[in-house]
Amino acid sequence: METVKWGIIGCGDVAEVKSGPAFKNVNGSELIGVMRRNGEKAKDFAKRHGVPMWTNSAEDLLKNDEINAIYVATPPSTHLAYAKAALAASKDVYLEKPMALTSEEAEKIVAIVKNSNNKLSVAHYRRKLSAFKKVKKLLIENAIGSVLFADIQILQPRNSDIVANSEENWRLNPAVSGGGYFYDLAPHQIDLMYHYFGSFDKVDGYATGQKNKVEDTVNGIIRFNNGVQFRGVWNFTAPDNCKKEECVIYGTKGSIRFSFYGDKVILNNQAGETVFKFQNPKHIQQPMIEAVVAYFLGKAKNPCPAEDGLTVMQAMEKLSGR
């Protein structure tokens, strides 16, 4: 393979800005076709983004011999079916997070990948954003000494501006999303903790459902095998004046503070306070897509294997008390 030639299954709100255009911008990558069940909307996406082919049938992309990779950007309820079909059609797969509806489905995807000659990466794209790479670098450099624990607070109102807009709010339908806004946002946070601190030793948590009939409040703890501890709380019925989203990592010599949706990382240690500022790319998944393209072309390691996506799914289920 000299060029990754993509087909997108599900060219909706996520693909519009966050990811879709990046497939044309990355070296060694081309966007050949897009699919959406509403053919007119698929046609409109293709016209606006200069994509040669559009369709309302995923099968059209899977049967297209020019396409050698599929981006699955549908809700989680269809991830297993589309990932399985794409791999069976000898296409590499870039799979949106959370990688499946349940950990059982995620296990099936992992097994399918192991028995396939094709590749799969999960879209935990924050791993490749500059701010979060800086956090990892500071941890490796022992900028705050030995890490003791991490604390995350995600307090958001019902209409949160950090939740992607969609015509149908499928994120609050657990049969489609897996578990409300927690399942939509928490994969980003849990994956970064796993990326920073390694494998989990024990995960536990509790959840309550209120107005949305899904997990509105989740309170969880994690103990990592390296001794680091974690505490996290997610609430999606918070009043506007209590809105917050922040992570603080504490060490023996200081702390690292950052937002998952902001533009700076704040280091406090024996040298004082240092603020590192960053600007996210317009198409926020582009750095991850660059890494995925390099992996599909055989030039780099997998930036997020299916096994990592499974680990995050299993942790989310335990955190929410399932």
Side-chain angles (χ1 to χ4, degrees), residues 1-282:
M1 187 190 300
E2 295 180 357
T3 304
V4 181
K5 298 185 178 183
W6 293 94
I8 298 178
I9 298 179
C11 55
D13 53 287
V14 172
E16 183 63 40
V17 176
K18 288 184 175 181
S19 57
F23 293 101
K24 295 181 62 179
N25 296 342
V26 172
N27 291 333
S29 174
E30 296 179 14
L31 180 54
I32 303 298
V34 295
M35 170 270 173
R36 193 168 179 175
R37 286 177 298 175
N38 185 318
E40 285 302 312
K41 290 181 178 179
K43 180 180 179 180
D44 178 64
F45 184 99
K47 181 178 179 180
R48 287 183 292 103
H49 293 283
V51 184
M53 172 193 172
W54 62 269
T55 179
N56 65 354
S57 171
E59 191 69 18
D60 291 341
L61 299 184
L62 297 176
K63 288 183 177 179
N64 189 315
D65 292 335
E66 186 179 7
I67 292 172
N68 54 32
I70 294 290
Y71 170 41
V72 179
T74 57
S77 57
T78 55
H79 284 188
L80 171 59
Y82 283 138
K84 181 179 180 179
L87 291 167
S90 298
K91 317 288 189 187
D92 293 335
V93 177
Y94 181 49
L95 182 62
E96 263 301 335
K97 60 82 207 161
M99 71 177 287
L101 197 63
T102 65
S103 64
E104 288 79 12
E105 288 192 357
E107 286 177 347
K108 291 179 181 178
I109 294 173
V110 169
I112 293 167
V113 174
K114 285 182 178 179
N115 291 312
S116 171
N117 292 322
N118 287 86
K119 302 175 179 179
L120 183 145
S121 294
V122 182
H124 287 302
Y125 63 85
R126 274 175 167 74
R127 292 185 176 197
K128 294 298 181 180
L129 292 178
S130 297
F132 307 114
K133 288 171 67 177
K134 181 63 176 181
V135 172
K136 188 171 180 67
K137 186 172 185 289
L138 291 171
L139 293 171
I140 292 172
E141 294 172 346
N142 294 315
I144 57 171
S146 298
V147 177
L148 301 172
F149 67 97
D151 182 82
I152 287 178
Q153 295 184 59
I154 307 292
L155 311 177
Q156 296 293 309
R158 293 186 70 190
N159 297 315
S160 172
D161 58 5
I162 65 174
V163 176
N165 292 321
S166 59
E167 295 175 8
E168 298 177 6
N169 199 354
W170 55 264
R171 290 173 176 83
L172 293 182
N173 181 354
V176 178
S177 66
Y181 291 150
F182 175 72
Y183 266 60
D184 187 47
L185 300 181
H188 290 307
Q189 293 103 44
I190 301 306
D191 178 69
L192 279 179
M193 297 301 101
Y194 176 68
H195 186 53
Y196 291 157
F197 307 126
S199 57
F200 306 139
D201 177 33
K202 185 173 177 59
V203 183
D204 202 358
Y206 303 91
T208 57
Q210 299 170 18
K211 297 179 181 179
N212 299 333
K213 296 182 180 179
V214 291
E215 296 92 345
D216 285 332
T217 302
V218 176
N219 192 6
I221 56 174
I222 298 174
R223 183 174 66 209
F224 293 82
N225 281 317
N226 63 3
V228 173
Q229 294 196 29
F230 163 87
R231 178 186 67 176
V233 60
W234 293 260
N235 176 266
F236 300 102
T237 56
D240 288 333
N241 60 343
C242 294
K243 187 175 176 181
K244 184 178 185 180
E245 59 91 9
E246 181 181 67
C247 177
V248 186
I249 301 172
Y250 298 91
T252 55
K253 296 181 180 179
S255 67
I256 301 170
R257 183 183 305 268
F258 59 92
S259 160
F260 293 98
Y261 300 88
D263 60 357
K264 60 186 177 182
V265 172
I266 302 172
L267 170 67
N268 269 293
N269 60 12
Q270 294 167 327
E273 180 177 283
T274 307
V275 179
F276 304 95
K277 292 188 177 181
F278 302 89
Q279 183 174 357
N280 285 325
K282 179 180 179 181

